[in-house]
Amino acid sequence: MPLGNHPSFDRPPVTTQLWRYTDLSKFVDLLSSGKLWLTNAEILAADDPYEGTPGAVQFPHRMWRTLDEVPEQLRDQIVKMCSQGTDDTPEAAFRGWFMGEEQRCIMMQSGRRDYYINCWHASGHESVAMWKIYGSPGAGVAIVTNGARLENALSGNTEDFYLGAVQYRDPSFVQVGGSNAFDTIMLKRSSYSYEQEVRLVHWHTGEFHDALANFAWNDATMRFEDIIDDPRPIRPGMSFSCEIDVLIERVIVSPFAPPWYAPMIERVRDRFGHEFPINMSTLLNAPLFLP
């Protein structure tokens, strides 16, 4: 199935080079399984607690208790959008909007575990920072591909996938409301902009948990009660069939690796019957000089 199109995903040109810096164990797992691993967003949140909820303030609508406390521009929008179905008073529109925001935020937090992500670095060249952070210094490789290769390599799957560049925002940014659930998955704080991340995302909808199935809204406290916790253990990730020689344009061996490392990677490739080229990084080679 081809990669899906969605307004939340700013898909890079198909020729954009995508790099995945990884350690030996993950590389061997890819070759031996013939499957691409996508990590659960809840697992990624262990390293970045803002994962899937990038706003500087969680539940930002709770800053206000009455319509008069809301900034004027947003106040006008609330009244225009939310008056229908109420008693037509501005305060009723506010309370209806507030309940909707409360519902959206709770469902967003509850549903984060349904997203599975595979991360790539978009660049026309190697990155020393990426080697040091993700390449397990001295024992890493970088897989080089592009969007077209990713799409073709995953085409044998029936599940939906989306590919897009992550958008970075200032950590002080506060957002009330959102047009789509995918938006929060494709946003990160600007502190991570050095990653130049492109994400492959699968939204697993087959095991939906409704945290608000009781829909017990307390109009006095302006909170939902009897929120249902998800009893399922968090699934660390999902693997999807992948044509390895289609996916991989080439593999680059870490510039920090010892001399014996590249031949070992070649033997691993050959053992699993693949044909992609393997090159040693020249990133830290001494410059040429004239006599």
Side-chain angles (χ1 to χ4, degrees), residues 207-218:
E207 302 174 0
F208 176 72
H209 170 71
D210 188 357
L212 297 176
N214 295 327
F215 210 81
W217 176 251
N218 187 321

Side-chain angles (χ1 to χ4, degrees), residues 20 43 94-95 136 148 170 186 213 221 225 233 240 256 268:
R20 184 165 175 82
I43 302 299
F94 167 75
R95 296 181 76 84
S136 183
D170 187 274
M186 297 306 294
T221 62
E225 299 174 345
F240 298 94
F256 304 105
V268 170

Side-chain angles (χ1 to χ4, degrees), residues 89-106:
T89 64
E91 193 62 31
F94 167 75
R95 296 181 76 84
W97 169 82
F98 192 101
M99 183 178 71
E101 284 296 296
E102 193 76 9
Q103 181 181 9
R104 184 186 67 82
C105 288
I106 290 172

Side-chain angles (χ1 to χ4, degrees), residues 3-286:
L3 295 177
N5 293 314
H6 192 281
S8 296
F9 290 84
D10 180 16
R11 187 170 173 178
V14 294
T15 56
T16 299
Q17 282 192 342
L18 302 178
W19 301 68
R20 184 165 175 82
Y21 295 83
T22 188
D23 60 29
L24 178 62
S25 61
K26 293 176 182 176
F27 180 64
V28 171
D29 178 70
L30 173 67
L31 299 192
S32 61
S33 68
K35 294 183 177 181
L36 190 65
W37 175 262
L38 276 67
T39 302
N40 193 305
E42 285 288 348
I43 302 299
L44 296 179
D47 291 327
D48 177 10
Y50 284 71
E51 182 66 56
T53 55
V57 178
Q58 302 309 307
F59 292 82
H61 61 284
R62 291 182 180 176
M63 293 187 291
W64 311 299
R65 294 287 297 177
T66 67
L67 184 63
D68 290 339
E69 297 175 0
V70 178
E72 184 175 355
Q73 184 176 4
L74 179 58
R75 187 188 316 162
D76 293 340
Q77 294 176 15
I78 291 171
V79 172
K80 289 178 182 178
M81 289 189 304
C82 303
S83 292
Q84 187 175 359
T86 69
D87 61 8
D88 291 332
T89 64
E91 193 62 31
F94 167 75
R95 296 181 76 84
W97 169 82
F98 192 101
M99 183 178 71
E101 284 296 296
E102 193 76 9
Q103 181 181 9
R104 184 186 67 82
C105 288
I106 290 172
M107 294 305 293
M108 179 180 67
Q109 290 194 326
S110 173
R112 180 168 63 180
R113 65 171 61 193
D114 295 326
Y115 293 93
Y116 295 84
I117 299 169
N118 184 261
C119 307
W120 296 80
H121 172 71
S123 179
H125 51 78
E126 292 178 60
S127 166
V128 172
M130 292 295 105
W131 279 123
K132 290 184 176 180
I133 297 171
Y134 298 106
S136 183
V141 299
I143 299 167
V144 184
T145 190
N146 57 50
R149 282 181 171 271
L150 260 174
E151 181 166 23
N152 290 333
L154 294 169
S155 61
N157 296 279
T158 58
E159 294 85 356
D160 292 324
F161 300 95
Y162 301 91
L163 185 71
V166 168
Q167 303 298 311
Y168 298 96
R169 288 185 175 173
D170 187 274
S172 64
F173 178 80
V174 175
Q175 178 177 352
V176 178
S179 58
N180 191 276
F182 276 129
D183 289 349
T184 56
I185 293 295
M186 297 306 294
L187 289 173
K188 294 185 75 170
R189 290 174 290 167
S190 54
S191 303
Y192 289 88
S193 61
Y194 68 90
E195 293 179 343
Q196 299 174 232
E197 184 178 344
V198 171
R199 289 188 157 182
L200 178 73
V201 177
H202 168 63
W203 183 26
H204 190 63
T205 57
E207 302 174 0
F208 176 72
H209 170 71
D210 188 357
L212 297 176
N214 295 327
F215 210 81
W217 176 251
N218 187 321
D219 201 47
T221 62
M222 297 178 69
R223 296 288 189 273
F224 281 101
E225 299 174 345
D226 296 329
I227 296 173
I228 303 172
D229 292 331
D230 194 337
R232 299 170 299 167
I234 295 173
R235 188 176 186 176
M238 297 182 70
S239 293
F240 298 94
S241 297
C242 180
E243 293 289 339
I244 301 301
D245 285 313
V246 175
L247 172 70
I248 301 178
E249 175 185 319
R250 66 185 187 278
V251 165
I252 309 296
V253 176
S254 171
F256 304 105
W260 55 265
Y261 202 80
M264 182 270 291
I265 295 295
E266 291 177 348
R267 291 194 298 273
V268 170
R269 174 201 60 190
D270 296 342
R271 174 68 61 89
F272 293 109
H274 298 299
E275 300 178 351
F276 50 80
I278 297 172
N279 304 115
M280 187 69 198
S281 171
T282 60
L283 190 62
L284 299 184
N285 288 7

